Amino acid sequence: MKKKCIRFLPLLLACLLLCGCFLEPAEGLYAVPKQSEEYYDLQNAIELALPDGAVYAPPVSGDNQQVVQMVDLDGDGEDEAVVYCKTTGELPLGIYVFDRQNDAFTLAASVQGAGSAFHHVSYVAFDDQPGYELVVGRQISDQVPQLMNVYSLRGGTLTELMSTEYAEFVTADLDADSRQEIVVLHSGGDSQNGIAELYCWAGGQLKREREVSMSVAVSSVKRILTGYMCRNVAAVFVASEYSDGSLITDIFVFRDGVFTNLSRSEDANTDVQTLRDYYIYGGDIDKDGLIELPMLCPMPSLDYDASSQDQYLVSWYNLQLDGSRDEKLLTFHCHTGGWYLQIPTLWQEHLVLTRSAVAGSTLGYRFLWEAGGSTEELLTIAALSASDLSALGDGWQVLTQKGETVYVCRLARRAVALGITADAIRTQFHFIQNDWKTGDVTTS
């Protein structure tokens, strides 16, 4: 009995959140929360349905990692409770769906599958019927590719709509028909490059469209992003790593019934430039709802200052279907410092970057202004601890603070002459953030 109580503790916490339970104060103290009848009913239904020895096994990645997940699978307007568990045997991974009818939860459907863990779960509307389909990725083993299944709950049965091996998969509405498609990435077999396949709803079933090649092996994939590449054109952006450490982005679109990788298209000049030695991923850097892609722009250097060598600005653009680029922003990224600075386009041909000490061993980033054959200081940005602020000389202004680190700026005479203010630099200054899903570095 004690083991069963421990086993259902995660369910208790999950249902507290799902049912909106909270602690009510009583005479200055917090009383034990009283659970709803719905909670107890669901708990009893789960205990009766799960086999002996079953343990909860929620998905290990993705957005849906809860112990109990509530979603309307059958389209009746009320959520079903979906529970993922693991037992023993040849088909250890179980999915149990509980439906609420006549004010009571009962087991509506279940399905067992092979694998060591549930990898990723999505709830997606593929057809024009109410409700959501269930997309489940399972980890099989370290040596075997992962397995994806799509189920539909109809007539009290979880019906399998498709099954395929995969390395990665993502769902998105690529053809703007209000239904989702699935893009599946997997090994290309004898080919060194990976393969992308598209599955879309047609003729009452999930139909496999043509497959297209990736630019590199699927094992090189670092990040997958979905969004609009330009107005009204949705795409899947797959950033992968070359052996030399550079990045390339494959852009998959589904237009006029044709699935295409724009980065390898023979119909248009749409090759996407790789980023050498930089880990900068595409993203909506200007918050306009479109995904911008980065391109390196070399900065001029000084013969007498080695720190000015191999410095780059990053030009952000939206790729158009005809291969043209809509230039959006220009930035300087300081990866070691975790920040980037938006650069006005008019500055680009004049900027030179060097590194120099600003206080003891603390190095600052000095932006120099080059014009008419002469070079003079424009501004300097540095990061140091709050205790070291007193070591700075005059003219420094605080941009912002993050934890114990203070970011400061000093404007030179050239900056003042150009009308540059500390408030303007604060507006242009941003932190590089880690993507909470992948740990990858992104911009915001």
mmCIF file of all heavy atoms in Angstrom, residues 371-410:
data_model
loop_
_atom_site.group_PDB
_atom_site.id
_atom_site.type_symbol
_atom_site.label_atom_id
_atom_site.label_comp_id
_atom_site.label_asym_id
_atom_site.label_seq_id
_atom_site.Cartn_x
_atom_site.Cartn_y
_atom_site.Cartn_z
ATOM 1 N N ALA A 371 36.689 56.969 -41.093
ATOM 2 C CA ALA A 371 36.175 57.807 -42.172
ATOM 3 C C ALA A 371 37.302 58.689 -42.702
ATOM 4 O O ALA A 371 38.088 59.247 -41.919
ATOM 5 C CB ALA A 371 35.010 58.667 -41.688
ATOM 6 N N GLY A 372 37.394 58.802 -44.018
ATOM 7 C CA GLY A 372 38.394 59.670 -44.631
ATOM 8 C C GLY A 372 39.817 59.293 -44.296
ATOM 9 O O GLY A 372 40.687 60.174 -44.212
ATOM 10 N N GLY A 373 40.075 58.009 -44.044
ATOM 11 C CA GLY A 373 41.437 57.565 -43.753
ATOM 12 C C GLY A 373 41.843 57.711 -42.302
ATOM 13 O O GLY A 373 42.962 57.331 -41.937
ATOM 14 N N SER A 374 40.993 58.252 -41.472
ATOM 15 C CA SER A 374 41.323 58.413 -40.049
ATOM 16 C C SER A 374 40.375 57.571 -39.210
ATOM 17 O O SER A 374 39.236 57.304 -39.602
ATOM 18 C CB SER A 374 41.222 59.875 -39.623
ATOM 19 O OG SER A 374 39.887 60.343 -39.765
ATOM 20 N N THR A 375 40.863 57.170 -38.033
ATOM 21 C CA THR A 375 40.073 56.327 -37.138
ATOM 22 C C THR A 375 40.063 56.946 -35.751
ATOM 23 O O THR A 375 41.108 57.331 -35.227
ATOM 24 C CB THR A 375 40.665 54.901 -37.051
ATOM 25 O OG1 THR A 375 40.712 54.342 -38.361
ATOM 26 C CG2 THR A 375 39.811 54.019 -36.172
ATOM 27 N N GLU A 376 38.874 57.045 -35.165
ATOM 28 C CA GLU A 376 38.769 57.577 -33.808
ATOM 29 C C GLU A 376 37.737 56.774 -33.029
ATOM 30 O O GLU A 376 36.873 56.108 -33.604
ATOM 31 C CB GLU A 376 38.381 59.057 -33.827
ATOM 32 C CG GLU A 376 37.093 59.364 -34.569
ATOM 33 C CD GLU A 376 36.820 60.855 -34.631
ATOM 34 O OE1 GLU A 376 36.949 61.518 -33.580
ATOM 35 O OE2 GLU A 376 36.484 61.357 -35.720
ATOM 36 N N GLU A 377 37.841 56.838 -31.714
ATOM 37 C CA GLU A 377 36.954 56.057 -30.862
ATOM 38 C C GLU A 377 35.524 56.569 -30.956
ATOM 39 O O GLU A 377 35.263 57.773 -30.991
ATOM 40 C CB GLU A 377 37.434 56.124 -29.410
ATOM 41 C CG GLU A 377 36.620 55.243 -28.465
ATOM 42 C CD GLU A 377 37.175 55.224 -27.059
ATOM 43 O OE1 GLU A 377 38.305 55.725 -26.857
ATOM 44 O OE2 GLU A 377 36.491 54.710 -26.160
ATOM 45 N N LEU A 378 34.564 55.593 -30.990
ATOM 46 C CA LEU A 378 33.139 55.933 -31.008
ATOM 47 C C LEU A 378 32.519 55.640 -29.648
ATOM 48 O O LEU A 378 31.985 56.539 -28.991
ATOM 49 C CB LEU A 378 32.425 55.135 -32.108
ATOM 50 C CG LEU A 378 30.933 55.408 -32.274
ATOM 51 C CD1 LEU A 378 30.710 56.810 -32.833
ATOM 52 C CD2 LEU A 378 30.287 54.357 -33.191
ATOM 53 N N LEU A 379 32.587 54.398 -29.226
ATOM 54 C CA LEU A 379 32.039 54.023 -27.919
ATOM 55 C C LEU A 379 32.682 52.710 -27.478
ATOM 56 O O LEU A 379 33.220 51.958 -28.288
ATOM 57 C CB LEU A 379 30.512 53.893 -27.962
ATOM 58 C CG LEU A 379 29.904 52.855 -28.918
ATOM 59 C CD1 LEU A 379 29.694 51.514 -28.227
ATOM 60 C CD2 LEU A 379 28.581 53.358 -29.465
ATOM 61 N N THR A 380 32.602 52.442 -26.181
ATOM 62 C CA THR A 380 33.146 51.222 -25.600
ATOM 63 C C THR A 380 32.100 50.598 -24.687
ATOM 64 O O THR A 380 31.429 51.313 -23.933
ATOM 65 C CB THR A 380 34.427 51.502 -24.797
ATOM 66 O OG1 THR A 380 35.392 52.117 -25.653
ATOM 67 C CG2 THR A 380 35.011 50.218 -24.225
ATOM 68 N N ILE A 381 31.966 49.285 -24.756
ATOM 69 C CA ILE A 381 31.055 48.538 -23.886
ATOM 70 C C ILE A 381 31.869 47.522 -23.103
ATOM 71 O O ILE A 381 32.743 46.844 -23.656
ATOM 72 C CB ILE A 381 29.954 47.833 -24.699
ATOM 73 C CG1 ILE A 381 29.032 48.873 -25.351
ATOM 74 C CG2 ILE A 381 29.128 46.893 -23.816
ATOM 75 C CD1 ILE A 381 27.963 48.263 -26.235
ATOM 76 N N ALA A 382 31.600 47.440 -21.803
ATOM 77 C CA ALA A 382 32.331 46.499 -20.953
ATOM 78 C C ALA A 382 31.375 45.875 -19.947
ATOM 79 O O ALA A 382 30.306 46.429 -19.641
ATOM 80 C CB ALA A 382 33.468 47.206 -20.230
ATOM 81 N N ALA A 383 31.754 44.714 -19.444
ATOM 82 C CA ALA A 383 30.991 44.020 -18.409
ATOM 83 C C ALA A 383 31.919 43.739 -17.241
ATOM 84 O O ALA A 383 33.022 43.217 -17.422
ATOM 85 C CB ALA A 383 30.408 42.722 -18.953
ATOM 86 N N LEU A 384 31.489 44.091 -16.045
ATOM 87 C CA LEU A 384 32.308 43.868 -14.854
ATOM 88 C C LEU A 384 31.412 43.724 -13.639
ATOM 89 O O LEU A 384 30.204 43.999 -13.691
ATOM 90 C CB LEU A 384 33.306 45.000 -14.667
ATOM 91 C CG LEU A 384 32.786 46.408 -14.342
ATOM 92 C CD1 LEU A 384 33.939 47.287 -13.890
ATOM 93 C CD2 LEU A 384 32.114 47.071 -15.531
ATOM 94 N N SER A 385 31.983 43.288 -12.533
ATOM 95 C CA SER A 385 31.199 43.115 -11.312
ATOM 96 C C SER A 385 30.890 44.469 -10.695
ATOM 97 O O SER A 385 31.597 45.453 -10.915
ATOM 98 C CB SER A 385 31.963 42.249 -10.313
ATOM 99 O OG SER A 385 33.154 42.909 -9.904
ATOM 100 N N ALA A 386 29.823 44.500 -9.915
ATOM 101 C CA ALA A 386 29.408 45.747 -9.289
ATOM 102 C C ALA A 386 30.491 46.310 -8.386
ATOM 103 O O ALA A 386 30.657 47.534 -8.267
ATOM 104 C CB ALA A 386 28.117 45.518 -8.495
ATOM 105 N N SER A 387 31.282 45.423 -7.755
ATOM 106 C CA SER A 387 32.338 45.886 -6.852
ATOM 107 C C SER A 387 33.487 46.560 -7.588
ATOM 108 O O SER A 387 34.275 47.283 -6.979
ATOM 109 C CB SER A 387 32.873 44.707 -6.034
ATOM 110 O OG SER A 387 33.407 43.709 -6.896
ATOM 111 N N ASP A 388 33.589 46.319 -8.912
ATOM 112 C CA ASP A 388 34.684 46.900 -9.688
ATOM 113 C C ASP A 388 34.302 48.200 -10.379
ATOM 114 O O ASP A 388 35.121 48.784 -11.095
ATOM 115 C CB ASP A 388 35.169 45.902 -10.745
ATOM 116 C CG ASP A 388 35.867 44.705 -10.120
ATOM 117 O OD1 ASP A 388 36.399 44.861 -9.012
ATOM 118 O OD2 ASP A 388 35.872 43.629 -10.748
ATOM 119 N N LEU A 389 33.060 48.666 -10.161
ATOM 120 C CA LEU A 389 32.623 49.885 -10.841
ATOM 121 C C LEU A 389 33.486 51.085 -10.464
ATOM 122 O O LEU A 389 33.748 51.965 -11.286
ATOM 123 C CB LEU A 389 31.154 50.181 -10.500
ATOM 124 C CG LEU A 389 30.082 49.396 -11.264
ATOM 125 C CD1 LEU A 389 28.701 49.767 -10.768
ATOM 126 C CD2 LEU A 389 30.199 49.653 -12.763
ATOM 127 N N SER A 390 33.926 51.108 -9.222
ATOM 128 C CA SER A 390 34.702 52.253 -8.756
ATOM 129 C C SER A 390 36.056 52.357 -9.451
ATOM 130 O O SER A 390 36.685 53.418 -9.454
ATOM 131 C CB SER A 390 34.904 52.175 -7.240
ATOM 132 O OG SER A 390 35.576 50.968 -6.894
ATOM 133 N N ALA A 391 36.517 51.247 -10.066
ATOM 134 C CA ALA A 391 37.815 51.259 -10.748
ATOM 135 C C ALA A 391 37.734 51.931 -12.113
ATOM 136 O O ALA A 391 38.772 52.226 -12.715
ATOM 137 C CB ALA A 391 38.330 49.825 -10.897
ATOM 138 N N LEU A 392 36.522 52.178 -12.600
ATOM 139 C CA LEU A 392 36.372 52.834 -13.894
ATOM 140 C C LEU A 392 36.650 54.329 -13.768
ATOM 141 O O LEU A 392 36.417 54.947 -12.720
ATOM 142 C CB LEU A 392 34.957 52.624 -14.437
ATOM 143 C CG LEU A 392 34.576 51.195 -14.869
ATOM 144 C CD1 LEU A 392 33.104 51.146 -15.243
ATOM 145 C CD2 LEU A 392 35.435 50.736 -16.028
ATOM 146 N N GLY A 393 37.105 54.916 -14.832
ATOM 147 C CA GLY A 393 37.325 56.353 -14.844
ATOM 148 C C GLY A 393 36.037 57.102 -15.106
ATOM 149 O O GLY A 393 34.931 56.561 -15.006
ATOM 150 N N ASP A 394 36.162 58.356 -15.466
ATOM 151 C CA ASP A 394 34.989 59.194 -15.718
ATOM 152 C C ASP A 394 34.368 58.851 -17.071
ATOM 153 O O ASP A 394 35.011 58.291 -17.966
ATOM 154 C CB ASP A 394 35.388 60.668 -15.706
ATOM 155 C CG ASP A 394 35.886 61.123 -14.338
ATOM 156 O OD1 ASP A 394 35.461 60.488 -13.350
ATOM 157 O OD2 ASP A 394 36.698 62.067 -14.280
ATOM 158 N N GLY A 395 33.117 59.218 -17.225
ATOM 159 C CA GLY A 395 32.437 59.102 -18.506
ATOM 160 C C GLY A 395 31.695 57.806 -18.733
ATOM 161 O O GLY A 395 31.050 57.643 -19.782
ATOM 162 N N TRP A 396 31.757 56.879 -17.775
ATOM 163 C CA TRP A 396 31.065 55.600 -17.955
ATOM 164 C C TRP A 396 29.627 55.694 -17.455
ATOM 165 O O TRP A 396 29.361 56.319 -16.436
ATOM 166 C CB TRP A 396 31.792 54.494 -17.208
ATOM 167 C CG TRP A 396 33.122 54.132 -17.813
ATOM 168 C CD1 TRP A 396 34.329 54.666 -17.488
ATOM 169 C CD2 TRP A 396 33.351 53.197 -18.858
ATOM 170 N NE1 TRP A 396 35.322 54.111 -18.261
ATOM 171 C CE2 TRP A 396 34.738 53.197 -19.118
ATOM 172 C CE3 TRP A 396 32.543 52.345 -19.595
ATOM 173 C CZ2 TRP A 396 35.315 52.385 -20.081
ATOM 174 C CZ3 TRP A 396 33.119 51.530 -20.558
ATOM 175 C CH2 TRP A 396 34.488 51.561 -20.790
ATOM 176 N N GLN A 397 28.717 55.058 -18.188
ATOM 177 C CA GLN A 397 27.312 55.034 -17.797
ATOM 178 C C GLN A 397 26.811 53.590 -17.796
ATOM 179 O O GLN A 397 27.211 52.788 -18.643
ATOM 180 C CB GLN A 397 26.463 55.874 -18.750
ATOM 181 C CG GLN A 397 26.874 57.337 -18.812
ATOM 182 C CD GLN A 397 25.908 58.157 -19.619
ATOM 183 O OE1 GLN A 397 24.723 58.234 -19.302
ATOM 184 N NE2 GLN A 397 26.402 58.798 -20.687
ATOM 185 N N VAL A 398 25.959 53.288 -16.828
ATOM 186 C CA VAL A 398 25.426 51.932 -16.698
ATOM 187 C C VAL A 398 24.334 51.709 -17.750
ATOM 188 O O VAL A 398 23.398 52.506 -17.874
ATOM 189 C CB VAL A 398 24.857 51.698 -15.291
ATOM 190 C CG1 VAL A 398 24.168 50.333 -15.217
ATOM 191 C CG2 VAL A 398 25.965 51.785 -14.254
ATOM 192 N N LEU A 399 24.476 50.600 -18.492
ATOM 193 C CA LEU A 399 23.442 50.216 -19.457
ATOM 194 C C LEU A 399 22.374 49.364 -18.790
ATOM 195 O O LEU A 399 21.183 49.634 -18.904
ATOM 196 C CB LEU A 399 24.060 49.454 -20.627
ATOM 197 C CG LEU A 399 25.029 50.216 -21.528
ATOM 198 C CD1 LEU A 399 25.616 49.286 -22.578
ATOM 199 C CD2 LEU A 399 24.323 51.392 -22.193
ATOM 200 N N THR A 400 22.811 48.333 -18.098
ATOM 201 C CA THR A 400 21.891 47.430 -17.404
ATOM 202 C C THR A 400 22.697 46.533 -16.486
ATOM 203 O O THR A 400 23.928 46.566 -16.488
ATOM 204 C CB THR A 400 21.086 46.585 -18.412
ATOM 205 O OG1 THR A 400 20.079 45.845 -17.717
ATOM 206 C CG2 THR A 400 21.997 45.620 -19.160
ATOM 207 N N GLN A 401 22.011 45.736 -15.693
ATOM 208 C CA GLN A 401 22.669 44.805 -14.784
ATOM 209 C C GLN A 401 21.965 43.465 -14.855
ATOM 210 O O GLN A 401 20.737 43.384 -14.946
ATOM 211 C CB GLN A 401 22.644 45.328 -13.338
ATOM 212 C CG GLN A 401 23.389 44.427 -12.355
ATOM 213 C CD GLN A 401 23.585 45.083 -10.998
ATOM 214 O OE1 GLN A 401 23.339 46.278 -10.829
ATOM 215 N NE2 GLN A 401 24.043 44.308 -10.021
ATOM 216 N N LYS A 402 22.744 42.382 -14.821
ATOM 217 C CA LYS A 402 22.201 41.026 -14.823
ATOM 218 C C LYS A 402 22.932 40.228 -13.759
ATOM 219 O O LYS A 402 24.119 39.936 -13.899
ATOM 220 C CB LYS A 402 22.384 40.385 -16.198
ATOM 221 C CG LYS A 402 21.710 39.038 -16.348
ATOM 222 C CD LYS A 402 21.853 38.521 -17.775
ATOM 223 C CE LYS A 402 21.103 37.220 -17.974
ATOM 224 N NZ LYS A 402 21.242 36.718 -19.369
ATOM 225 N N GLY A 403 22.238 39.912 -12.687
ATOM 226 C CA GLY A 403 22.883 39.250 -11.556
ATOM 227 C C GLY A 403 23.916 40.161 -10.941
ATOM 228 O O GLY A 403 23.638 41.313 -10.612
ATOM 229 N N GLU A 404 25.134 39.660 -10.809
ATOM 230 C CA GLU A 404 26.217 40.450 -10.231
ATOM 231 C C GLU A 404 27.026 41.192 -11.290
ATOM 232 O O GLU A 404 27.983 41.885 -10.957
ATOM 233 C CB GLU A 404 27.155 39.534 -9.433
ATOM 234 C CG GLU A 404 26.494 38.875 -8.233
ATOM 235 C CD GLU A 404 26.005 39.906 -7.221
ATOM 236 O OE1 GLU A 404 26.740 40.892 -6.987
ATOM 237 O OE2 GLU A 404 24.903 39.722 -6.680
ATOM 238 N N THR A 405 26.650 41.063 -12.549
ATOM 239 C CA THR A 405 27.396 41.690 -13.634
ATOM 240 C C THR A 405 26.718 42.974 -14.085
ATOM 241 O O THR A 405 25.508 42.998 -14.324
ATOM 242 C CB THR A 405 27.523 40.737 -14.841
ATOM 243 O OG1 THR A 405 28.140 39.520 -14.410
ATOM 244 C CG2 THR A 405 28.357 41.362 -15.944
ATOM 245 N N VAL A 406 27.522 44.025 -14.177
ATOM 246 C CA VAL A 406 27.024 45.326 -14.621
ATOM 247 C C VAL A 406 27.602 45.620 -16.002
ATOM 248 O O VAL A 406 28.808 45.451 -16.229
ATOM 249 C CB VAL A 406 27.415 46.444 -13.635
ATOM 250 C CG1 VAL A 406 26.864 47.795 -14.106
ATOM 251 C CG2 VAL A 406 26.900 46.126 -12.241
ATOM 252 N N TYR A 407 26.754 46.042 -16.927
ATOM 253 C CA TYR A 407 27.170 46.373 -18.290
ATOM 254 C C TYR A 407 27.194 47.896 -18.425
ATOM 255 O O TYR A 407 26.196 48.563 -18.124
ATOM 256 C CB TYR A 407 26.218 45.752 -19.305
ATOM 257 C CG TYR A 407 26.205 44.239 -19.220
ATOM 258 C CD1 TYR A 407 25.397 43.586 -18.284
ATOM 259 C CD2 TYR A 407 27.008 43.456 -20.044
ATOM 260 C CE1 TYR A 407 25.386 42.204 -18.187
ATOM 261 C CE2 TYR A 407 27.005 42.073 -19.955
ATOM 262 C CZ TYR A 407 26.195 41.454 -19.015
ATOM 263 O OH TYR A 407 26.196 40.091 -18.923
ATOM 264 N N VAL A 408 28.355 48.417 -18.833
ATOM 265 C CA VAL A 408 28.557 49.865 -18.867
ATOM 266 C C VAL A 408 28.978 50.303 -20.268
ATOM 267 O O VAL A 408 29.430 49.494 -21.086
ATOM 268 C CB VAL A 408 29.610 50.296 -17.836
ATOM 269 C CG1 VAL A 408 29.120 50.023 -16.420
ATOM 270 C CG2 VAL A 408 30.940 49.574 -18.093
ATOM 271 N N CYS A 409 28.833 51.581 -20.514
ATOM 272 C CA CYS A 409 29.156 52.141 -21.821
ATOM 273 C C CYS A 409 29.821 53.507 -21.634
ATOM 274 O O CYS A 409 29.460 54.271 -20.721
ATOM 275 C CB CYS A 409 27.883 52.288 -22.654
ATOM 276 S SG CYS A 409 28.098 53.156 -24.222
ATOM 277 N N ARG A 410 30.797 53.804 -22.502
ATOM 278 C CA ARG A 410 31.419 55.129 -22.510
ATOM 279 C C ARG A 410 31.362 55.668 -23.938
ATOM 280 O O ARG A 410 31.800 55.013 -24.882
ATOM 281 C CB ARG A 410 32.869 55.053 -22.037
ATOM 282 C CG ARG A 410 33.557 56.428 -21.984
ATOM 283 C CD ARG A 410 34.991 56.306 -21.505
ATOM 284 N NE ARG A 410 35.780 55.483 -22.431
ATOM 285 C CZ ARG A 410 37.000 55.023 -22.152
ATOM 286 N NH1 ARG A 410 37.544 55.274 -20.969
ATOM 287 N NH2 ARG A 410 37.662 54.305 -23.040
#
